[in-house]
């Protein structure tokens, strides 16, 4: 197991890029595989999670060439796949398992999806129930609807599904299954979750319909093969944005980052907390652009309700921002964090406390009284990439040395995280500093 040792960082004055978006990389491979020809995917995130999706698609007979580290050529099979010869290993990736379940529900063969110890504890009933209503036979071999999943797919009926959770994974599983059903399948969610699947369907010329919180798709359409560019991952950028936001004289520019408004809640929260943010958005299939952030003495805020799905993966790092801010931050309606790669509310509370922060864990959130100086500590990642990265950033602000153990999990979403961290831990050189004055203020 590899550990990181982190010390207080100097003021950030630099620009950087982050690797491709994880959610979008998964979907690009899946939609390309369902399309009618070769699709070049640029900016792909070659992390363990996304490679699990590549592996899953390959096991269904899809030819996927790796042209260079971040460019794939996926040869679409018009949604007609071949039966896998062995089980499909989804590793740590909930997105792979849940979205593949949607695709496999529409295939006339049996498949078995397995995952690692963390994924094997995650709830799957949320996709089993709607997919079963559509006609698939799905058995969860684990307790209470947990993986492994055995899926016997076939002819599907369309479904009008009202989802009890605001989950992009659930919405996407049903919409992808809907591509194999005769007629119109729709999903209504309680609050808006990330909309990458809908956007990508649109980009691949399948026409989804959107009305309020309902998205529908007509089955029987074949996505049109096209080139697709994956933007940088705002959830990866969030670690550096918080590191810059919480230092009063810092200035950071993140280029080529995805700025889809179902994902940029982290920017809105940091603005509320006092950071100055400017951005330029260039809309392609997915909005992409530049974000400039200037640090400040942050203040506490409230994060709850409809904003939660928009910051679902950023809550660990926003909790770190809250500990560095003055005043109280209350995070609520975030019970979903208890069923992520680890129980993120418990993990964040424990690690913040070990660093000296004042934090109370509630059933569905955290209450953090910021401003107590953080001190270095030995912290566990709990095998969760976002916990490891959030507390590496906390270590940049702590007195003394912070050790994070079990850091190999970051390979699931951000393999080069440590290289960028090392760059920021060094003093900025003149060449790295840049003053950008032309971006409009958020
Ligand atoms: C994801 C959706 C979110 C998010 C996860 C990726 C996706 O999960 O936490 O990291 O790609 O659809 P839920 O849909 O379960 O909230």
């Amino acid at each position: 197991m590899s550990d990181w040792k982190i010390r207080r960082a100097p003021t950030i004055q630099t620009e950087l890029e982050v690797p491709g978006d994880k959610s979008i990389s998964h979907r690009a491979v899946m939609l390309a595989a369902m399309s009618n020809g070769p699709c070049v995917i640029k900016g792909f995130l070659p992390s363990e999670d996304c490679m699990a999706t590549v592996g899953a698609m390959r096991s269904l007979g899809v030819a996927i060439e790796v042209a260079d580290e971040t460019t794939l050529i996926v040869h679409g099979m018009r949604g007609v796949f071949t039966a896998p010869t062995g089980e499909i290993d989804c590793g740590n990736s909930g997105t792979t398992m849940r979205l593949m379940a949607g695709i496999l529900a529409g295939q006339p063969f049996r498949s078995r999806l397995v995952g690692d110890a963390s994924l094997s504890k995650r709830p799957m009933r949320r996709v089993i129930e709607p997919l079963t209503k559509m006609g698939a036979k799905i058995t969860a071999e684990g307790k209470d609807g947990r993986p492994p999943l055995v899926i016997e797919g076939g002819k599907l009926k369309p479904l009008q599904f009202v989802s009890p959770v605001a989950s992009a994974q659930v919405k996407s599983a049903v919409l992808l299954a809907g591509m194999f059903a005769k007629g119109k399948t729709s999903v209504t969610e309680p609050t808006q979750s990330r909309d990458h699947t809908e956007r990508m369907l649109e980009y691949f010329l399948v026409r989804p319909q959107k009305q309020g919180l309902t998205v529908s798709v007509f089955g029987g359409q074949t996505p049109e093969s096209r080139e697709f560019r994956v933007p940088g991952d705002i959830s990866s950028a969030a670690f550096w944005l918080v590191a810059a936001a919480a230092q009063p004289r810092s200035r950071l520019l993140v280029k080529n980052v995805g700025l889809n408004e179902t994902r940029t809640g982290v920017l809105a929260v940091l603005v509320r907390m006092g950071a100055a943010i400017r951005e330029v958005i260039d809309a392609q299939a997915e909005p992409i652009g530049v974000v400039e952030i200037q640090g400040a003495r942050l203040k506490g805020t409230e994060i709850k309700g409809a904003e939660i799905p928009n910051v679902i993966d950023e809550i660990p790092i926003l909790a770190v921002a809250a500990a560095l801010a003055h005043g109280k931050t209350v995070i609520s309606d975030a019970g979903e964090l208890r069923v992520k790669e680890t129980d993120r509310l418990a993990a964040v509370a424990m690690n913040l406390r070990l660093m000296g922060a004042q934090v109370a864990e509630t059933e569905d959130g955290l209450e953090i009284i910021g401003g107590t100086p953080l001190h270095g500590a030995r912290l566990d990642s709990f095998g969760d990439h976002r916990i490891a990265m959030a507390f590496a950033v906390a270590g940049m602000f702590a007195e003394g040395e912070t050790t994070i153990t079990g850091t190999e999990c970051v390979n699931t979403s951000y393999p080069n995280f440590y290289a960028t961290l090392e760059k920021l831990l060094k003093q900025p050189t003149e060449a790295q500093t840049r003053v950008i004055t032309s971006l409009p203020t958020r």
Side-chain angles (χ1 to χ4, degrees):
M1 281 235 254
S2 65
D3 294 353
W4 293 336
K5 295 207 182 300
I6 297 137
R7 290 201 157 268
R8 198 190 283 283
T11 303
I12 294 173
Q13 290 280 340
T14 192
E15 61 178 55
L16 51 83
E17 286 192 36
V18 286
D21 187 279
K22 177 160 80 72
S23 291
I24 298 174
S25 294
H26 283 296
R27 288 160 171 80
V29 172
M30 291 178 191
L31 262 281
M34 288 165 67
S35 80
N36 60 356
C39 301
V40 178
I41 302 173
K42 295 190 169 157
F44 174 77
L45 171 69
S47 73
E48 286 174 1
D49 273 18
C50 300
M51 290 312 287
T53 291
V54 168
M57 278 303 177
R58 281 183 172 148
S59 71
L60 299 181
V62 182
I64 302 181
E65 298 167 59
V66 180
D68 63 48
E69 214 200 345
T70 59
T71 308
L72 300 182
I73 305 166
V74 180
H75 295 268
M77 291 180 58
R78 298 180 169 272
V80 183
F81 301 114
T82 55
T85 47
E87 58 193 20
I88 297 176
D89 188 358
C90 303
N92 189 247
S93 174
T95 309
T96 306
M97 187 170 282
R98 296 195 178 117
L99 272 59
M100 285 305 299
I103 293 172
L104 291 167
Q107 301 299 313
F109 49 73
R110 183 177 182 277
S111 34
R112 185 166 181 267
L113 296 172
V114 301
D116 70 4
S118 152
L119 183 53
S120 301
K121 284 195 224 133
R122 297 183 65 184
M124 293 296 149
R125 261 194 202 131
R126 50 184 63 197
V127 292
I128 296 174
E129 279 174 11
L131 296 176
T132 303
K133 281 191 190 138
M134 295 178 82
K137 282 202 201 96
I138 306 184
T139 316
E141 293 180 356
K143 249 199 4 225
D144 300 328
R146 276 20 188 211
L149 299 183
V150 176
I151 302 181
E152 284 181 59
K155 276 209 161 44
L156 297 182
K157 307 186 276 286
L159 177 69
Q160 270 58 61
F161 181 57
V162 179
S163 175
V165 276
S167 161
Q169 294 181 351
V170 173
K171 172 174 63 181
S172 304
V174 176
L175 290 175
L176 290 172
M179 295 282 291
F180 299 97
K182 233 189 168 142
K184 180 173 163 179
T185 292
S186 61
V187 182
T188 305
E189 41 184 358
T191 42
Q192 173 77 54
S193 66
R194 62 191 66 189
D195 66 356
H196 305 303
T197 301
E198 302 86 295
R199 279 176 186 271
M200 206 167 296
L201 286 170
E202 181 84 43
Y203 182 78
F204 280 88
L205 305 183
V206 173
R207 297 274 173 238
Q209 292 171 350
K210 173 137 183 122
Q211 211 177 21
L213 293 170
T214 302
V215 195
S216 317
V217 70
F218 279 91
Q221 302 181 74
T222 306
E224 187 66 35
S225 72
R226 293 187 73 178
E227 180 172 313
F228 184 83
R229 169 165 286 283
V230 180
D233 197 327
I234 183 85
S235 297
S236 297
F239 299 104
W240 315 125
L241 292 168
V242 167
Q247 287 177 333
R249 280 168 309 284
S250 68
R251 197 162 201 183
L252 172 70
L253 194 77
V254 185
K255 296 191 298 187
N256 284 324
V257 65
L259 292 170
N260 177 319
E261 61 183 28
T262 62
R263 296 283 300 284
T264 47
V266 61
L267 301 180
V269 174
L270 291 176
V271 167
R272 283 209 302 278
M273 294 179 84
I277 295 186
R278 300 191 290 176
E279 62 192 313
V280 171
I281 303 179
D282 173 14
Q284 297 175 8
E286 284 281 349
I288 186 167
V290 184
V291 176
E292 186 202 27
I293 190 158
Q294 269 181 272
R297 182 145 186 257
L298 299 179
K299 50 185 188 289
T301 187
E302 228 185 311
I303 309 174
K304 61 175 185 191
E307 190 168 40
I308 294 293
N310 199 317
V311 292
I312 194 77
D313 292 335
E314 286 68 70
I315 288 176
I317 186 63
L318 286 172
V320 170
L324 298 170
H326 60 99
K328 186 171 176 180
T329 293
V330 179
I331 301 169
S332 50
D333 305 318
E336 272 294 300
L337 265 78
R338 296 208 183 274
V339 291
K340 293 291 178 190
E341 285 81 333
T342 188
D343 176 343
R344 286 185 174 158
L345 296 178
V348 165
M350 169 172 290
N351 283 354
L352 278 181
R353 248 182 240 127
L354 286 169
M355 298 185 89
Q358 288 185 56
V359 49
E361 195 181 326
T362 61
E363 203 184 314
D364 67 350
L366 296 167
E367 291 185 7
I368 299 162
I369 315 257
T372 313
L374 299 183
H375 55 74
R378 192 175 167 81
L379 307 172
D380 189 7
S381 70
F382 297 90
D384 184 324
H385 53 135
R386 300 208 194 275
I387 298 295
M389 294 187 279
F391 282 91
V393 172
M396 294 169 79
F397 291 86
E399 188 60 48
E401 190 176 78
T402 300
T403 302
I404 318 273
T405 62
T407 60
E408 46 291 305
C409 54
V410 301
N411 291 330
T412 62
S413 72
Y414 196 165
N416 292 328
F417 176 85
Y418 192 71
T420 302
L421 176 68
E422 275 189 313
K423 179 176 147 191
L424 296 184
L425 289 174
K426 286 190 195 127
Q427 284 295 327
T429 61
E430 264 315 296
Q432 281 175 315
T433 65
R434 274 264 289 242
V435 180
I436 305 289
T437 50
S438 56
L439 304 187
T441 302
R442 184 180 178 87

